[in-house]
């Protein structure tokens, strides 16, 4: 081989080596960049996960699937809630655990959207909760006499209606207040009543919302007056009902969707009900249906037979649990659903705002703990920044696990169940004392 040929071959080998070195260097730089990006992604993911855990104050179980809940809001109501919220913040009267859109809305509705009256009602509620120890009553109070109490005051939650609301049932005609007070006291029963209201807000409503995939914030109530008479009325009963009336109307407003007074005889419909209506406004009356024993089938129009006790015309007996009013049947007993209730990061809320012209505008669809609704009530904007936790447009979250009642389609005046019961008992005693024979 000639010298020139040898030099040419060497030159080609050197070129290939340089190219190889360049390619290797590029690969190394590429791998380095990929490694850097992976590291940044992992760090970002770690920070994001840490921020979620810090916000939720509990470990996130990623094995729990997410569920979508639809939240429909009214644009004018949003404006009112925002105004109320700003005023409460200025007064220092909005603790983080109560910084909740739908809770504020309930109190506004209870005071006909009068801001000043709502503020007064709100601050009285905060004072009462502090004095009563309401925030920890689920953990602090134990009502060991419940089974005996149910013998003389049959009542409880059982199943859901066809729209997913929990069904609450009371057999008022089977209540024996004097015997009840041999088992418990008025103070202990009031503690139990408050505890059950808190349990409904924090567990039953969220569980029903998950099962129905829409916000559930109110109950369908059935009041059974069969057998109602003088035995159901006493001074003790009046004192108890008066105390419960104060609690329900002042501190838990706007939680009733519809009431059915069932097994009402001719005496109730002809005498007691007309007299009672004089103390109720027209919107409240619109929430109440009176059904005699032959009209119980109408309950099946709103409640499936499998969710309705047999003594009300349904097919459920809950024989294994000792009867329907002892079973506490409902989505809140489903372990899979309750995992979602207690897992703060497992719920997506699709918020929709209803405009005055009737149109719906899509606001956001984002990861949002079901039991946390501590948000700025200004209308959100559509866009990707709704999912950005650092975005100023994103709703602010708070650590308190609480589901507040939300906007319902039926916008009626609040009805106080206990007040109605009181009226029924009072008029019953009056008519019986006067010698009138009533058939219930």
């Amino acid at each position: 081989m000639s010298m020139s040929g040898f030099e040419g071959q060497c030159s080609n080998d050197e070129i290939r080596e340089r190219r190889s070195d360049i390619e290797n260097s590029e690969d190394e730089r590429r791998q380095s960049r990929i490694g850097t990006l992976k590291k940044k992604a992992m760090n970002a993911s770690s920070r994001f996960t840490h921020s979620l855990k810090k916000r939720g104050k509990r470990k996130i179980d990623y094995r729990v699937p997410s569920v979508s809940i639809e939240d429909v809001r009214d644009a004018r109501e949003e404006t009112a809630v925002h105004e109320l919220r700003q005023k409460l913040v200025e007064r220092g009267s909005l603790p983080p655990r109560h910084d909740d859109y739908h809770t504020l809305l309930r109190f506004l509705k209870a005071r006909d959207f009068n801001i000043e009256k709502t503020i007064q009602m709100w601050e009285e509620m905060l004072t009462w909760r502090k004095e009563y120890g309401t925030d920890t009553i689920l953990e602090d109070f134990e009502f060991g006499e419940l089974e005996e109490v149910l013998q003389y005051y049959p009542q409880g939650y059982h199943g859901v209606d066809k729209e997913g609301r929990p069904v609450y049932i009371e057999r008022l005609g089977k209540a024996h207040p004097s015997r009840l007070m041999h088992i418990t006291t008025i103070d202990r029963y009031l503690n139990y009543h408050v505890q059950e209201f808190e349990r409904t807000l924090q567990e039953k409503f969220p569980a029903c919302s998950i099962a129905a995939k829409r916000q559930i914030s109110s109950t369908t109530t059935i009041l059974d007056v069969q057998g109602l008479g003088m035995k159901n009325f006493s001074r003790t009963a009046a004192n108890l009902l008066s105390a419960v009336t104060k609690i329900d109307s002042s501190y838990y407003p706007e939680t009733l969707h519809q009431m059915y007074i069932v097994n009402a005889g001719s005496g109730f419909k002809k005498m007691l009900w007309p007299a009672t209506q004089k103390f109720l406004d027209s919107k409240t009356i619109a929430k109440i249906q009176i059904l005699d024993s032959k009209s119980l089938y109408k309950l099946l129009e709103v409640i499936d037979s499998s969710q309705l006790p047999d003594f009300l015309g349904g097919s459920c007996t809950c024989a294994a649990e000792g009867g329907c009013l002892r079973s506490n049947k409902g989505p809140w007993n489903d372990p899979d659903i309750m995992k979602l209730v207690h897992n703060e990061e497992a719920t997506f809320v699709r918020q929709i705002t209803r405009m005055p012209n009737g149109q719906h505008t899509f606001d956001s669809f984002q990861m949002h703990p079901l039991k946390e609704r501590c948000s700025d009530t200004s209308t959100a904007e559509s866009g990707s920044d709704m999912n950005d936790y650092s975005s100023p447009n994103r709703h602010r979250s708070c650590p308190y696990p609480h589901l507040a009642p939300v906007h319902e389609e039926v916008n009626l005046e609040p009805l106080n169940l206990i007040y109605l019961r009181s009226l029924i008992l009072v008029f019953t005693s009056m008519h019986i004392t006067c010698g009138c024979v009533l058939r219930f």
Side-chain angles (χ1 to χ4, degrees):
M1 177 183 295
S2 65
M3 183 60 68
S4 59
F6 177 78
E7 290 177 352
Q9 182 177 353
C10 289
S11 177
N12 291 335
D13 290 342
E14 289 176 358
I15 291 173
R16 283 195 296 268
E17 288 178 3
R18 291 194 188 99
R19 286 179 178 173
S20 178
D21 291 340
I22 293 173
E23 290 173 355
N24 290 336
S25 179
E26 286 295 332
D27 288 341
E28 290 175 0
R29 284 196 291 270
R30 189 180 301 110
Q31 293 297 327
S32 177
R33 286 198 299 271
I34 293 174
T36 301
L37 290 173
K38 285 184 177 180
K39 185 176 181 180
K40 288 182 178 179
M42 291 176 66
N43 289 337
S45 176
S46 178
R47 289 195 301 271
F48 179 69
T49 300
H50 177 72
S51 68
L52 291 180
K53 291 180 179 179
K54 185 176 181 181
R55 249 195 315 274
K57 291 188 177 180
R58 65 167 61 99
K59 184 178 180 180
I60 302 169
D61 185 359
Y62 291 104
R63 295 170 297 178
V64 179
S66 63
V67 63
S68 174
I69 304 295
E70 188 172 85
D71 178 8
V72 179
R73 299 182 181 183
D74 181 89
R76 286 170 293 191
E77 291 177 350
E78 280 192 321
T79 300
V81 171
H82 180 67
E83 180 183 353
L84 172 63
R85 182 179 182 278
Q86 291 299 111
K87 289 183 178 295
L88 290 175
V89 168
E90 292 170 1
R91 296 170 64 93
S93 299
L94 193 60
R97 69 185 304 154
H98 299 299
D99 188 359
D100 179 287
Y101 172 82
H102 298 294
T103 303
L104 294 169
L105 178 59
R106 285 195 296 119
F107 279 80
L108 277 169
K109 287 182 176 181
R111 289 295 178 264
D112 295 323
F113 288 86
N114 183 300
I115 297 293
E116 296 306 316
K117 290 183 179 179
T118 302
I119 291 175
Q120 180 181 353
M121 183 184 189
W122 180 269
E123 293 182 341
E124 289 175 355
M125 177 271 293
L126 293 179
T127 300
W128 170 79
R129 290 186 70 92
K130 182 177 180 180
E131 294 175 350
Y132 208 83
T134 308
D135 292 344
T136 58
I137 199 168
L138 284 177
E139 297 80 22
D140 296 345
F141 180 70
E142 184 176 351
F143 197 59
E145 61 266 40
L146 177 60
E147 284 300 317
E148 291 183 272
V149 165
L150 291 178
Q151 294 179 25
Y152 302 113
Y153 193 178
Q155 41 87 19
Y157 286 89
H158 183 274
V160 296
D161 66 16
K162 291 184 178 181
E163 294 188 14
R165 300 182 188 87
V167 176
Y168 176 74
I169 302 170
E170 272 196 19
R171 305 192 78 176
L172 189 58
K174 293 185 177 296
H176 295 270
S178 58
R179 298 181 188 178
L180 184 66
M181 289 299 105
H182 286 116
I183 299 170
T184 189
T185 65
I186 288 181
D187 287 342
R188 284 188 60 78
Y189 188 85
L190 290 178
N191 279 330
Y192 162 70
H193 179 75
V194 172
Q195 186 183 57
E196 285 304 295
F197 229 126
E198 290 294 309
R199 199 185 313 278
T200 297
L201 294 177
Q202 297 188 37
E203 296 181 1
K204 289 184 172 65
F205 284 161
C208 288
S209 297
I210 290 171
K213 292 183 172 57
R214 58 178 291 267
Q215 289 285 3
I216 298 297
S217 63
S218 59
T219 61
T220 292
T221 296
I222 300 174
L223 192 62
D224 187 353
V225 297
Q226 186 175 36
L228 189 65
M230 193 62 183
K231 64 180 176 60
N232 308 108
F233 186 80
S234 66
R235 182 175 296 275
T236 299
N239 292 337
L240 177 62
L241 293 174
S242 175
V244 176
T245 297
K246 170 64 176 175
I247 291 172
D248 287 10
S249 60
S250 299
Y251 314 126
Y252 298 102
E254 292 287 339
T255 55
L256 177 69
H257 172 70
Q258 189 79 33
M259 175 186 285
Y260 298 89
I261 300 178
V262 303
N263 289 317
S266 58
F268 183 93
K269 291 191 289 186
K270 292 180 180 179
M271 302 178 69
L272 289 185
W273 180 234
T276 303
Q277 287 186 75
K278 295 178 181 180
F279 294 85
L280 303 173
D281 59 72
S282 59
K283 290 184 178 180
T284 297
I285 293 172
K287 277 191 172 184
I288 306 170
Q289 287 193 39
I290 311 297
L291 304 177
D292 58 29
S293 58
K294 296 180 180 179
S295 302
L296 288 180
Y297 67 90
K298 293 185 178 180
L299 290 176
L300 296 174
E301 296 176 2
V302 293
I303 305 172
D304 189 80
S305 177
S306 65
Q307 302 290 304
L308 191 64
D310 58 351
F311 59 82
L312 293 174
S315 59
C316 189
T317 61
C318 294
E321 289 79 19
C324 289
L325 295 188
R326 282 182 167 82
S327 69
N328 196 32
K329 175 179 179 178
W332 48 87
N333 282 323
D334 186 319
D336 292 331
I337 287 179
M338 293 311 294
K339 283 182 182 178
L340 290 168
V341 170
H342 296 300
N343 188 284
E344 296 182 354
E345 307 299 336
T347 305
F348 286 82
V349 176
R350 181 174 186 260
Q351 180 183 317
I352 300 174
T353 299
R354 182 185 292 108
M355 305 303 290
N357 59 10
Q359 294 181 350
H360 291 70
T361 60
F362 178 76
D363 279 354
S364 63
F365 186 61
Q366 57 184 298
M367 182 180 290
H368 201 347
L370 175 63
K371 295 188 296 178
E372 296 181 12
R373 223 37 108 240
C374 307
S375 59
D376 189 303
T377 57
S378 58
T379 303
E381 298 177 3
S382 299
S384 60
D385 64 344
M386 289 299 102
N387 292 319
D388 182 0
Y389 280 80
S390 63
S391 169
N393 292 326
R394 189 187 179 277
H395 290 174
R396 184 178 65 79
S397 64
C398 83
Y400 181 57
H402 179 72
L403 172 72
V406 297
H407 179 74
E408 289 282 336
E409 293 297 327
V410 182
N411 185 18
L412 302 177
E413 292 296 318
L415 165 69
N416 191 294
L417 171 60
I418 308 299
Y419 179 58
L420 178 59
R421 286 195 299 241
S422 300
L423 288 174
I424 291 173
L425 291 178
V426 168
F427 283 118
T428 298
S429 64
M430 289 172 58
H431 286 299
I432 293 177
T433 302
C434 292
C436 303
V437 178
L438 300 179
R439 295 175 56 199
F440 295 98

